[in-house]
Amino acid sequence: MDSTEFRKRGREMVDFIADHFDNIRDRRPFPTVQPGYLQELVPEEAPQEPEKWEDVFADIERVIMPGVTNWHSPQFHAYFPTGMSYAAICADMLSDAIGCIGFTWAASPVCTELEVKMMDWLGKALKLPKEFLHCTGGQGGGVIQSTASEATLIALLGAKSNVIHKQKQLHPSWSEYKIMSKLVAYTSEQSHSSVERAALLGSIQIRHLRADDNYSLREDVLEKAIIEDKAAGRIPFFVVATLGTTSSCAFDNIKELGPVCVREGLWMHIDAAYAGSSFLCPEYRHLLDGVEFAESFNFNPHKWMLVNFDCSAMWVRNRQSIIEAFTVDPVYLKHNSQETMPEFRVNIRRKHLINILFFLSRTTLYLPIDS
């Protein structure tokens, strides 16, 4: 396919996408196919000769669409909302065309610099504490991840690295294995399964604490668990609080949990994947009160903000805690501007997501400014 044919086929695809959304009400929200339906529609072996584009394009309706669950259908009410917008699709096209890999500033300066700016725009709209913003000149800042699951894992590994370093200073004779065997994390019994998965991947024991009648984790339950674990010789170090649980959109009481975490020296990570976009609305911003006690905060713009999946925004109070946990600095990543721009180096896919936020925040979304 050359540029001339690309112009033609690109227009055809744009028309197909526009027609799809214009008529999505006429499509079933959930497909009627049975497991294995694709086996008879797609050959066992890949073609040995190029096929005509017209034949490939025809297979969109014949092969792909029958098995699609239409998450954007107005009749789809399962799981959670997922975003899409024409501006985001256009941004996606540009990102795919540029095709850069932004693992460092030098690899593609705009990836790092636009990420810094977009995360500050979004953080200001959420009225996050200034410690979480790049523009204040402090140690905090935002970074785009793919999913909230990834953000929780990164926060846990950052907290683990931080506490191991502290414990080695307190107990020079302790091995890293001995310290890890004592670490314990906490979350609500209502939290997402990804929190438990993060603990498994991080080789950390985690306790699922009882929620109250409103499915909220409260300070008395957390304090009791901390006292129990300290008495047993364990080292509490990490708490995941959820704002908008998957099962019932319940909120943990971060205004109560936060002071406990600060007093006991625990890293509190706030998982607002589901409900976080609502905090952009002034009438719902109070639900985020208590974020000032957190070490990290995350929500998913790809749920309510018309951003295509997958885009998860994460802020940390001290980015060095994350950077040091993932420091790998081979010679091919070194460059002369390493100390001038923040580089988390934990997600190289973000070039696609940054462009989407840049397009949307200028054409489709209203991000309130605190006057």
Side-chain angles (χ1 to χ4, degrees):
M1 182 181 292
D2 58 19
S3 61
T4 300
E5 186 176 5
F6 171 70
R7 294 176 192 275
K8 177 183 178 182
R9 302 311 183 188
R11 292 187 185 99
E12 289 175 356
M13 185 61 74
V14 167
D15 286 342
F16 177 87
I17 292 170
D19 289 342
H20 170 73
F21 285 107
D22 284 346
N23 301 290
I24 196 168
R25 288 178 178 272
D26 299 329
R27 292 185 182 269
R28 292 181 58 89
F30 191 77
T32 58
V33 298
Q34 297 300 312
Y37 89 97
L38 203 67
Q39 298 304 312
E40 295 182 359
L41 298 178
V42 178
E44 288 295 322
E45 307 294 337
Q48 299 304 297
E49 298 292 336
E51 298 185 19
K52 293 181 179 179
W53 176 262
E54 289 83 358
D55 294 336
V56 176
F57 196 80
D59 277 348
I60 296 176
E61 285 291 359
R62 186 183 74 88
V63 177
I64 297 174
M65 299 311 292
V68 168
T69 298
N70 286 294
W71 282 60
H72 301 294
S73 169
Q75 302 173 72
F76 182 84
H77 303 292
Y79 305 118
F80 47 79
T82 181
M84 188 289 300
S85 62
Y86 293 121
I89 292 174
C90 289
D92 216 349
M93 290 173 63
L94 175 64
S95 297
D96 289 338
I98 293 173
C100 62
I101 309 297
F103 44 69
T104 67
W105 180 91
S108 188
V110 71
C111 287
T112 297
E113 301 211 11
L114 195 55
E115 177 179 46
V116 168
K117 188 65 71 171
M118 290 303 96
M119 294 303 287
D120 276 355
W121 278 12
L122 199 50
K124 289 177 181 178
L126 288 165
K127 297 182 175 60
L128 291 182
K130 60 180 176 55
E131 291 83 2
F132 286 95
L133 304 180
H134 293 284
C135 61
T136 58
Q139 291 300 307
V143 60
I144 294 179
Q145 307 298 341
S146 296
T147 64
S149 303
E150 187 177 274
T152 300
L153 175 60
I154 288 171
L156 181 139
L157 294 177
K160 183 176 92 169
S161 175
N162 191 44
V163 73
I164 288 175
H165 177 72
K166 290 180 179 178
Q167 290 298 320
K168 281 185 174 179
Q169 290 182 321
L170 293 172
H171 308 283
S173 63
W174 285 10
S175 67
E176 187 168 317
Y177 174 78
K178 181 173 183 177
I179 296 170
M180 283 185 57
S181 69
K182 293 175 175 290
L183 298 182
V184 60
Y186 306 102
T187 192
S188 165
E189 61 187 359
Q190 298 293 315
S191 67
H192 192 267
S193 59
S194 61
V195 179
E196 182 175 7
R197 190 181 306 119
L200 289 172
L201 292 171
S203 300
I204 295 296
Q205 55 183 319
I206 189 167
R207 292 185 59 181
H208 291 81
L209 304 181
R210 175 181 53 81
D212 66 11
D213 292 341
N214 292 316
Y215 308 114
S216 175
L217 180 60
R218 307 294 297 274
E219 64 177 326
D220 59 328
V221 176
L222 177 61
E223 286 180 326
K224 182 174 182 291
I226 292 172
I227 292 171
E228 292 173 352
D229 284 317
K230 283 186 171 182
R234 290 185 282 269
I235 304 172
F237 81 106
F238 187 68
V239 174
V240 178
T242 305
L243 300 183
T245 59
T246 303
S247 58
S248 62
C249 202
F251 282 58
D252 290 334
N253 195 320
I254 59 174
K255 288 195 289 186
E256 290 184 358
L257 301 177
V260 175
C261 291
V262 171
R263 184 176 67 248
E264 298 291 341
L266 277 62
W267 178 309
M268 183 170 75
H269 173 69
I270 296 177
D271 174 11
Y274 183 19
S277 297
S278 68
F279 306 147
L280 291 168
C281 302
E283 62 269 33
Y284 296 123
R285 173 54 182 80
H286 69 278
L287 296 172
L288 187 54
D289 289 349
V291 67
E292 63 271 17
F293 299 110
E295 290 295 323
S296 54
F297 166 76
N298 161 255
F299 87 102
N300 288 346
H302 65 236
K303 286 193 167 69
W304 295 10
M305 278 184 60
L306 306 180
V307 177
N308 298 353
F309 184 84
D310 46 357
C311 178
S312 194
M314 179 184 185
W315 288 265
V316 293
R317 182 179 298 274
N318 183 358
R319 60 179 178 268
Q320 286 303 124
S321 297
I322 301 297
I323 293 171
E324 290 173 4
F326 295 93
T327 295
V328 178
D329 201 23
V331 65
Y332 53 80
L333 292 182
K334 296 180 182 295
H335 59 89
N336 293 334
S337 303
Q338 258 180 262
E339 304 302 323
T340 60
M341 293 297 294
E343 292 181 348
F344 286 82
R345 298 190 184 182
V346 291
N347 188 342
I348 64 173
R349 187 178 176 274
R350 65 189 193 277
K351 55 92 185 175
H352 143 82
L353 309 168
I354 299 163
N355 273 339
I356 289 178
L357 286 178
F358 185 55
F359 276 50
L360 280 176
S361 58
R362 299 179 68 192
T363 64
T364 307
L365 297 174
Y366 166 67
L367 296 182
I369 298 175
D370 187 6
S371 57

